[in-house]
Amino acid sequence: MIADIFAAALEFFCDKIDMFLGILTTDITTFQDGAIWQAVSALYDAMVAMGITIAGMLIWIGLLQSTSRYAELKRGTVWLQFLIEVILANAILYYGKYLLLECIKIGQGMTKRMMNVTGMVADDGTSIFHITIPEQLNDAIGRMRITRQIGVFIIVIIASVWIVISTCGVLLSVYGRLFNMYLLIAISPLPVSTVISKSTRFVFYNFLKTFLAVVLEALVMVLVLYLFQAFFTSGFNVGWSRSMGSGSTGAISDDSRVFGYMAEMSFLFLMLFGMLKGTDKLVNRVFGI
């Protein structure tokens, strides 16, 4: 019974991780039946008008700075360059969200490839993530005295609650990333409009770096989950393979094994939560964006 409670918590975690992996590779235009994307598109269209205004002001400022004399304004090449810049600015702003969507699709393709390599995707394309408790844990609990089992029961309840909390934190990280992508696309006309001027182009570069960092977070999250699964299935450092029971010389007692397993498992979930929350900083350090 004690082990069943713990196994149920792990099953809950695995089910939510399958949802987690599905969100990483979902089409953001059809997520939640496309209702969120419709709202984002409406915000984007509203921001386009502001972006065009900013771009127009920057073009005029650049034109005035490049022509110090009134006579130069009469040259046809100056106005041709001005017309080309206006057309480019409008094209970039109106079709910018589709370019950002293509960047997201490329990032999701890399993520799906990594999920295939790490075995997190079944043959039918569905995501799978499965971890279980070792059989020796249930046997060790069964051999413990009833007073010790009561203590283990309390520890298992606490560990199960911690697993649920960690799972909520993991889901919060992936939903937060999804929210960031929607938000960045919605406000993108404002920073994208600054690309038209050399003096303000750094704003566009900073936006692009931030957006690419959010896209690449999915790839790092998959790697973190894969390493977590490898750590979990390694059996920790409680010596399951060594002789059990207190009657053997040099043997580790069942109490030490069970409590040691729970302690290392709790620490591993804490590490998973911290690593997933810090993927943005890791991407910034690794890729310099």
Side-chain angles (χ1 to χ4, degrees):
M1 176 181 177
I2 297 177
D4 292 339
I5 296 175
F6 187 61
L10 287 181
E11 184 178 357
F12 171 80
F13 172 75
C14 293
D15 291 340
K16 298 306 177 183
I17 290 299
D18 288 341
M19 180 189 302
F20 176 96
L21 296 174
I23 293 175
L24 289 180
T25 56
T26 189
D27 184 0
I28 66 172
T29 61
T30 59
F31 184 70
Q32 298 291 353
D33 296 329
I36 302 177
W37 177 249
Q38 291 178 3
V40 171
S41 297
L43 289 174
Y44 182 92
D45 294 338
M47 290 291 183
V48 165
M50 299 175 61
I52 291 177
T53 302
I54 294 174
M57 293 175 59
L58 293 175
I59 291 173
W60 271 111
I61 293 173
L63 178 64
L64 295 176
Q65 288 177 346
S66 62
T67 55
S68 59
R69 293 178 300 178
Y70 175 77
E72 295 180 0
L73 293 176
K74 298 180 179 180
R75 295 168 53 187
T77 55
V78 172
W79 293 104
L80 178 60
Q81 179 182 355
F82 174 78
L83 179 61
I84 294 175
E85 289 178 349
V86 171
I87 294 175
L88 288 176
N90 281 270
I92 292 173
L93 289 172
Y94 277 112
Y95 299 102
K97 64 179 178 181
Y98 301 108
L99 296 177
L100 295 178
L101 285 176
E102 290 301 319
C103 293
I104 293 175
K105 290 180 180 179
I106 293 174
Q108 288 180 339
M110 297 169 59
T111 303
K112 290 179 181 178
R113 175 60 180 170
M114 185 58 63
M115 291 171 61
N116 288 326
V117 172
T118 56
M120 293 185 181
V121 177
D123 295 335
D124 57 356
T126 58
S127 59
I128 53 174
F129 186 88
H130 186 64
I131 55 175
T132 58
I133 61 175
E135 297 180 0
Q136 296 92 328
L137 178 65
N138 196 16
D139 297 336
I141 294 175
R143 286 193 298 270
M144 296 173 63
R145 297 191 303 271
I146 186 64
T147 54
R148 290 288 186 179
Q149 288 186 4
I150 294 175
V152 172
F153 178 77
I154 297 174
I155 295 299
V156 167
I157 293 297
I158 296 175
S160 299
V161 172
W162 171 240
I163 290 176
V164 174
I165 294 174
S166 300
T167 303
C168 294
V170 169
L171 289 178
L172 180 62
S173 64
V174 70
Y175 274 104
R177 173 185 173 272
L178 187 63
F179 182 85
N180 285 337
M181 284 197 299
Y182 282 129
L183 182 61
L184 288 172
I185 292 176
I187 67 172
S188 60
L190 299 182
V192 169
S193 63
T194 62
V195 73
I196 206 68
S197 174
K198 292 182 180 180
S199 60
T200 59
R201 199 165 293 171
F202 70 93
V203 177
F204 169 74
Y205 291 151
N206 290 336
F207 167 80
L208 189 60
K209 289 179 180 180
T210 303
F211 183 80
L212 292 178
V214 173
V215 172
L216 291 176
E217 280 182 32
L219 182 63
V220 179
M221 286 179 174
V222 171
L223 293 176
V224 169
L225 285 174
Y226 178 68
L227 292 176
F228 169 82
Q229 187 179 30
F231 270 100
F232 198 97
T233 56
S234 65
F236 300 92
N237 296 318
V238 294
W240 292 121
S241 60
R242 285 172 281 180
S243 58
M244 292 188 176
S246 57
S248 301
T249 303
I252 301 176
S253 65
D254 291 328
D255 298 355
S256 300
R257 296 175 191 274
V258 173
F259 287 108
Y261 180 85
M262 293 298 173
E264 293 201 26
M265 182 278 305
S266 300
F267 175 77
L268 188 57
F269 272 91
L270 177 63
M271 183 179 66
L272 172 66
F273 177 74
M275 289 297 296
L276 287 178
K277 292 295 290 183
T279 51
D280 54 343
K281 298 179 181 179
L282 182 62
V283 170
N284 291 333
R285 288 198 302 265
V286 172
F287 298 98
I289 57 178

